[in-house]
Amino acid sequence: MSGWESYYKNEGDEEEEEQHEGPEAGGEYKYSGRDSLIFLVDASRAMFESQNEGDENELTPFEMSTECILSVYTNKIISSDRDLLAVVFYGTKKDKNSVNFKNIYVLQELDNPGAKRVLELDRFKGQLGKKHFQDLIGCGSDYSLSEALWVCANLFSDVQFKMSHKRIMLFTNEDDPHGNDSAKASRARTKAADLRDTGIFLDLMHLKKPGGFDISLFYRDIISIAEDEDIGVHFEESSKLEDLLRKVRAKESKKRALGRLKFKLSKDVALTVGIYNLVQKAFRPPPVRLYRETNEPVKTKTRTFNVNDGSLLLPSDTKRSQSYGSRQIVLEKEETVQLKRFDEPGLILVGFKPLIMLKKHHYLRPPLFVYPEESVVNGSTALFSALLTKCLEKEVMAVCRYTPRHNSPPYFVTLVPQEEELDDQKVQVTPPGFQLIFLPYADDKRKVPFTEKVLANPEQVDKMKAIVQKLRFSYRSDSFENPVLQQHFRNLEALALDLMEPEQAVDLTLPKVEAMDKRLGSLVDEFKELVYPPDYNPQGKTTKRKQDDEDSRNKRPKVEVSEEELKAHINKGTLEAGEDLYHQRERRASILWTRDSCAEKTERGL
């Protein structure tokens, strides 16, 4: 029975699926479980006041916050619907929480995002939404931030699932909430430190206020700084919804490593790095099988049975085999595992090469990203930073041997140094680290057969250069969305939210013909005159076959030779005569068909 228990002990466990991170996962994992995020929103009167009173279209800070939360909800439904989200308002007139604190209203507890939750938040949009909020919750005049953080901590503790990331996003435009009460400010700082010690991160999403938002007055001691973030970098205050959305997306996105490996610089020097996947192809989510009586998800279980007596087989009862020549080689499960192992997982430095030696045609697959991990080996960040700085100064790349997992073959890779970049809002656009680029093996390269080509003369080449120069633009991969996927998710959103019709996705991959024609002007016609002959018509259409010809081909009779006649000719040795008979019948049928067809056309007056 011990064999059964060890093999099926995790079966039916809800957290089992969360331990599998996909085929690209590997190495040691620090995080496993669900991501949890609480939106803590300031609901005082200042959040409902617009910066420009004359502009009716300008969003108030509270409207920007709700729009941003709605965007995160819809994204989570698509990308990771198993994550947990919650919404808490503080500074409210009414209160609703488990601890009975005043001026704190828990709108939604930690749970999976869904259509009902999105619709509940959608009621707070616009002027009608503002009135709905005042009627349902209302704005208060007093609150304690430490009590609001206490309520958020209780929401985390009430969750029964295993959680990997625990974050609180604080939306406010008040830079000194307890300026006149030092006791409340001290309690808030203490509670924030307690949250930090228990692994709960507090992120500030501060909004624009008259006179500017001074983070040094209070929130510098409140917000949490993760291990992989620069303590000296603080966001600028947000005055637009787009800026706020960028900040929230940068914070709420998962930072899970594919693996944490040792990076060996020599026999005696090593550091620990994390391998991250920055680019992942988006797929349409697979359908979920539901039980037709209750609409509950159906779990699939696999069992192995003996074909002779139908008995259930233990894992130890099965073996694996491989045919080699005329022999069948039988292997134990442990032997097959050992066959797949080449080396211990890790990165081993081979040497350095100039960056100019890496060519575009060496591209094999999307690169990974390498970043130091201080939690495993102390001093990894300092050594990694020194290596990155020197590689940037000398413009060289590190050539390494990379083994991602025990069961994976080794790869030759290059570590290309990458410098950090920040935008005008102090949001990190490009992180500092190394791009891990896979190098091709000899059998990855193929020789493409080139056909004979007609060389263009210099005048044609110059004209095409002018056309290409006119059509150049700065390309960013994130500027083009997959129109099929976008429309698919819009259709699902319309069904879930009971919308009248789904929003039509804009196909950004289609060329802008009018803008291109305006840019090119007469260059296209000039190029055509240089390349194509005068009578060339690129839009010329091929002549279609007449309908009568298609009908006549379909009406043509089929001539068949019976099986008995064919066997008789084979037995007599007169197969050629049979073939002649077949052709004679075919010609006779063709003549009859031609005569009948002519007679039919004559009757119709053709």
Side-chain angles (χ1 to χ4, degrees):
M1 293 298 294
S2 60
W4 284 114
E5 291 174 357
S6 62
Y7 187 65
Y8 295 117
K9 63 180 180 180
N10 292 327
E11 206 162 78
D13 189 3
E14 184 176 4
E15 299 301 325
E16 182 184 3
E17 298 178 10
E18 300 170 15
Q19 306 300 327
H20 301 284
E21 300 294 333
E24 295 297 328
E28 180 187 351
Y29 279 90
K30 181 178 178 181
Y31 303 110
S32 63
R34 303 189 183 192
D35 284 352
S36 53
L37 175 62
I38 296 178
F39 297 101
L40 184 60
V41 184
D42 184 1
S44 58
R45 297 188 184 278
M47 289 285 287
F48 292 87
E49 297 175 358
S50 178
Q51 300 296 324
N52 299 325
E53 297 295 339
D55 190 0
E56 298 180 355
N57 296 326
E58 184 180 1
L59 297 176
T60 62
F62 184 81
E63 289 175 331
M64 289 173 57
S65 302
T66 53
E67 289 275 3
C68 189
I69 295 171
L70 276 171
S71 175
V72 174
Y73 263 72
T74 53
N75 289 336
K76 285 285 187 182
I77 290 174
I78 294 171
S79 60
S80 48
D81 59 344
R82 296 177 65 84
D83 292 348
L84 306 175
L85 302 176
V87 179
V88 179
F89 297 117
Y90 70 94
T92 59
K93 185 177 181 180
K94 299 179 181 180
D95 52 83
K96 177 188 172 185
N97 55 82
S98 59
V99 203
N100 294 325
F101 285 140
K102 298 295 183 183
N103 309 113
I104 299 173
Y105 194 96
V106 178
L107 180 69
Q108 296 175 355
E109 296 186 357
L110 280 170
D111 203 350
N112 304 122
K116 291 183 179 179
R117 294 185 146 218
V118 173
L119 291 173
E120 186 178 12
L121 286 169
D122 195 63
R123 294 173 187 157
F124 297 133
K125 291 172 61 176
Q127 292 297 325
L128 294 177
K130 181 179 179 180
K131 185 178 183 302
H132 175 68
F133 181 85
Q134 296 297 338
D135 296 339
L136 179 66
I137 302 174
C139 298
S141 57
D142 190 22
Y143 60 87
S144 173
L145 189 59
S146 64
E147 293 178 352
L149 296 178
W150 192 311
V151 170
C152 293
N154 287 347
L155 290 178
F156 284 121
S157 61
D158 292 340
V159 175
Q160 302 297 323
F161 304 109
K162 185 178 180 181
M163 292 178 288
S164 58
H165 293 72
K166 292 185 279 188
R167 283 186 178 272
I168 301 172
M169 281 191 183
L170 177 61
F171 295 83
T172 183
N173 65 343
E174 177 57 58
D175 54 1
D176 194 7
H178 303 311
N180 299 325
D181 194 335
S182 59
K184 284 186 177 181
S186 178
R187 288 198 297 269
R189 291 187 178 94
T190 304
K191 189 59 185 177
D194 294 341
L195 294 180
R196 198 179 306 120
D197 294 338
T198 56
I200 300 175
F201 288 91
L202 177 61
D203 296 320
L204 177 64
M205 299 295 144
H206 48 300
L207 304 164
K208 191 173 183 179
K209 61 171 291 188
F213 195 104
D214 190 357
I215 197 173
S216 62
L217 293 177
F218 177 75
Y219 284 104
R220 187 186 295 272
D221 304 326
I222 296 293
I223 60 176
S224 307
I225 303 296
E227 298 174 0
D228 56 349
E229 294 178 354
D230 187 1
I231 196 170
V233 175
H234 293 293
F235 291 151
E236 297 290 336
E237 59 188 22
S238 299
S239 59
K240 297 180 180 179
L241 178 61
E242 293 78 10
D243 299 336
L244 184 61
L245 282 172
R246 282 211 312 273
K247 295 175 186 178
V248 172
R249 286 169 185 163
K251 286 290 184 180
E252 65 92 14
S253 58
K254 299 177 184 178
K255 296 180 180 178
R256 290 186 176 182
L258 291 178
R260 289 170 173 82
L261 310 171
K262 280 190 176 181
F263 184 10
K264 296 181 181 179
L265 304 181
S266 64
K267 291 183 179 180
D268 303 325
V269 180
L271 65 151
T272 307
V273 295
I275 309 297
Y276 296 86
N277 188 11
L278 300 184
V279 179
Q280 180 67 39
K281 185 177 179 180
F283 294 96
R284 185 179 297 180
V288 179
R289 293 185 177 182
L290 304 176
Y291 184 51
R292 64 180 180 181
E293 301 293 338
T294 60
N295 266 1
E296 294 180 354
V298 178
K299 289 187 177 181
T300 304
K301 295 184 179 181
T302 304
R303 296 288 187 270
T304 306
F305 295 90
N306 191 328
V307 295
N308 296 324
D309 55 10
S311 60
L312 195 61
L313 296 177
L314 287 167
S316 58
D317 295 334
T318 60
K319 295 183 179 181
R320 292 158 177 79
S321 65
Q322 175 70 43
S323 297
Y324 185 79
S326 58
R327 296 181 57 190
Q328 191 175 28
I329 311 299
V330 180
L331 300 172
E332 299 289 343
K333 182 180 179 181
E334 293 76 12
E335 292 176 326
T336 58
V337 172
Q338 290 295 330
L339 283 175
K340 296 179 181 179
R341 294 191 176 182
F342 289 85
D343 198 359
E344 290 296 321
L347 274 166
I348 300 177
L349 180 64
V350 177
F352 296 92
K353 290 287 184 181
L355 284 172
I356 57 174
M357 296 189 68
L358 184 64
K359 306 299 181 182
K360 290 183 178 180
H361 61 266
H362 290 158
Y363 176 85
L364 197 63
R365 50 177 284 189
L368 302 177
F369 186 72
V370 181
Y371 199 80
E373 282 289 335
E374 189 72 19
S375 59
V376 182
V377 177
N378 292 331
S380 296
T381 303
L383 184 55
F384 185 91
S385 178
L387 178 63
L388 177 62
T389 303
K390 286 299 179 182
C391 287
L392 287 170
E393 289 178 359
K394 298 181 179 295
E395 297 183 351
V396 296
M397 57 185 177
V399 181
C400 305
R401 190 181 70 186
Y402 171 53
T403 307
R405 295 179 296 277
H406 283 290
N407 298 337
S408 299
Y411 301 94
F412 281 108
V413 298
T414 61
L415 301 184
V416 178
Q418 177 174 284
E419 206 168 0
E420 184 181 25
E421 295 180 8
L422 303 175
D423 63 4
D424 54 355
Q425 292 284 322
K426 300 297 183 183
V427 178
Q428 190 182 75
V429 178
T430 305
F434 287 96
Q435 291 280 352
L436 189 148
I437 298 177
F438 292 84
L439 293 176
Y441 285 108
D443 53 359
D444 289 325
K445 297 181 180 180
R446 58 191 177 93
K447 293 182 179 180
V448 181
F450 294 100
T451 57
E452 295 184 3
K453 56 184 178 181
V454 179
L455 294 177
N457 57 48
E459 189 178 1
Q460 295 172 345
V461 173
D462 294 338
K463 190 63 67 176
M464 179 51 69
K465 284 182 179 179
I467 292 176
V468 172
Q469 191 65 31
K470 288 284 187 180
L471 297 179
R472 289 175 65 90
F473 69 97
S474 57
Y475 172 76
R476 288 182 59 90
S477 59
D478 53 2
S479 300
F480 300 92
E481 298 173 335
N482 188 333
V484 177
L485 286 178
Q486 292 299 318
Q487 191 60 52
H488 172 74
F489 290 127
R490 279 169 170 78
N491 295 341
L492 293 181
E493 181 182 2
L495 289 173
L497 302 180
D498 290 332
L499 301 178
M500 293 297 294
E501 60 180 11
E503 180 185 355
Q504 294 300 317
V506 180
D507 191 353
L508 300 175
T509 62
L510 294 176
K512 299 179 180 178
V513 180
E514 295 182 0
M516 292 169 62
D517 292 341
K518 186 177 180 181
R519 274 188 173 190
L520 293 175
S522 61
L523 286 175
V524 176
D525 296 330
E526 295 172 3
F527 180 77
K528 288 179 180 179
E529 293 176 0
L530 290 174
V531 175
Y532 300 111
D535 57 346
Y536 176 73
N537 183 16
Q539 297 180 351
K541 298 180 180 179
T542 58
T543 57
K544 293 184 178 180
R545 185 175 294 182
K546 295 181 181 180
Q547 187 70 23
D548 290 341
D549 294 341
E550 294 181 1
D551 295 340
S552 61
R553 188 175 66 251
N554 296 332
K555 291 180 181 179
R556 184 167 182 174
K558 296 181 180 179
V559 181
E560 297 181 358
V561 179
S562 65
E563 187 177 352
E564 290 76 8
E565 290 180 329
L566 187 59
K567 286 181 179 180
H569 284 295
I570 292 175
N571 294 331
K572 294 179 182 180
T574 58
L575 185 59
E576 293 182 359
E579 290 178 352
D580 293 337
L581 177 62
Y582 172 83
H583 291 303
Q584 288 177 8
R585 290 187 177 181
E586 187 180 21
R587 284 195 295 270
R588 189 183 309 161
S590 177
I591 293 171
L592 292 174
W593 167 80
T594 305
R595 185 182 63 188
D596 295 340
S597 177
C598 293
E600 183 181 353
K601 290 183 179 181
T602 304
E603 291 177 0
R604 290 189 296 175
L606 299 177

